[in-house]
Amino acid sequence: MFGEVRNAQGERLDYSFHEGSRNDGDPVVVIAHGVTGNKDRPFVVALAKGLSAAGVVTVRMSFSGNGDSEGRFEDSTISKEVEDLGAMFEAVGDRPICLIGHSMGAAVGVTRAGHDDRVRWLGSLAGMVHTRKFVEREFADVTPDQGCMWDDVACPLSSTYLDDMNAIDSVVELGSQIAVPWLLVHGSEDDVVPLSDSRDILARAGSNAHLEVLESIDHVFSDDGIAPMVNLVTAWVREQVK
């Protein structure tokens, strides 16, 4: 365990620690969830357990304002979550990090990995790339500060969130800044973040990056999608950190 973790605002970040069979100082996988998610999504838990069983220490965290972490959901933005990751990294210490992000968490991961050399490996699951297009596609008919994301009352759509997504616009050009081994995984039937997002950022990346498309799999790897995703990512991580 890494003790209590608090972000720059003093908010406690909830996380779960999964032991591996490796020594102190060996790599740690940090899993970052997507918008409206948390560390306890079924596919996140399954991935953490799979990695731990393979001997890799793994941490799954909830960003501030999500799950059991402190803070307001309305303040949950890519920019803030990039800093939340920094707080988690400080708790991890000097151990090299494999950062795996899902959906908006992948955009957070790409942003962090582009300037933080503690990230030695990067994974993007159903990674969001074009942030402005995402909010236009999903929330065009929702009034900010009044309505909710996907009619979920626990997830109000804030102008703070929209402003950040629109200001970022896209993380596609950051693809060229990722110099570490990078695995992108995307389901062919993803109707939340299109497969084209992963293909767009892959086109900017170097030879260190590659994309695996899971046929007939949706955005959250539901039903039969969890096992192939876990097997694929676990095998890749084991090969990278051996």
Side-chain angles (χ1 to χ4, degrees):
M1 297 290 287
F2 301 117
E4 187 174 79
V5 180
R6 292 187 177 272
N7 63 11
Q9 292 74 32
E11 298 159 342
R12 181 186 55 81
L13 302 179
D14 184 41
Y15 70 93
S16 293
F17 178 86
H18 296 257
E19 293 184 353
S21 60
R22 296 173 177 269
N23 300 318
D24 290 346
D26 280 347
V28 176
V29 173
V30 176
I31 306 177
H33 64 82
V35 63
T36 74
N38 57 64
K39 70 179 181 63
D40 296 323
R41 296 294 294 271
F43 68 92
V44 174
V45 175
L47 178 56
K49 288 182 175 179
L51 289 164
S52 178
V56 183
V57 174
T58 303
V59 174
R60 50 188 171 91
M61 63 176 290
S62 291
F63 289 117
S64 54
N66 294 265
D68 290 329
S69 290
E70 294 178 353
R72 300 193 324 143
F73 179 83
E74 294 90 331
D75 297 326
S76 301
T77 64
I78 288 177
S79 297
K80 187 182 182 189
E81 291 178 0
V82 169
E83 298 307 313
D84 284 355
L85 273 182
M88 189 73 242
F89 288 3
E90 288 298 319
V92 168
D94 294 332
R95 301 168 73 145
I97 292 169
C98 174
L99 175 58
I100 299 177
H102 172 253
S103 191
M104 193 175 91
V108 174
V110 166
T111 304
R112 187 82 211 185
H115 69 268
D116 193 327
D117 60 10
R118 289 172 292 188
V119 180
R120 306 285 182 83
W121 308 273
L122 181 64
S124 297
L125 309 179
M128 182 190 299
V129 173
H130 304 297
T131 57
R132 180 187 291 269
K133 288 182 179 178
F134 171 79
V135 293
E136 289 175 350
R137 187 171 61 245
E138 297 295 325
F139 307 130
D141 59 345
V142 182
T143 302
D145 303 318
Q146 296 182 33
C148 299
M149 297 181 180
W150 298 300
D151 298 320
D152 185 346
V153 295
C155 302
L157 179 68
S158 69
S159 54
T160 300
Y161 172 81
L162 287 179
D163 289 347
D164 191 70
M165 296 289 273
N166 287 327
I168 291 169
D169 184 43
S170 176
V171 298
V172 69
E173 298 303 333
L174 296 181
S176 62
Q177 298 180 19
I178 305 302
V180 299
W182 183 10
L183 173 67
L184 299 93
V185 180
H186 218 118
S188 65
E189 300 305 310
D190 192 332
D191 63 355
V192 178
V193 175
L195 174 57
S196 58
D197 272 35
S198 284
R199 287 175 169 156
D200 285 349
I201 200 167
L202 181 69
R204 270 72 169 183
S207 59
N208 55 295
H210 75 280
L211 169 64
E212 295 282 352
V213 178
L214 297 179
E215 295 298 331
S216 303
I217 301 302
D218 66 10
H219 185 65
V220 294
F221 309 99
S222 53
D223 300 324
D224 296 330
I226 291 180
M229 180 274 289
V230 170
N231 292 338
L232 175 63
V233 175
T234 299
W236 180 81
V237 171
R238 287 187 66 186
E239 177 65 22
Q240 298 302 316
V241 305
K242 65 181 180 180

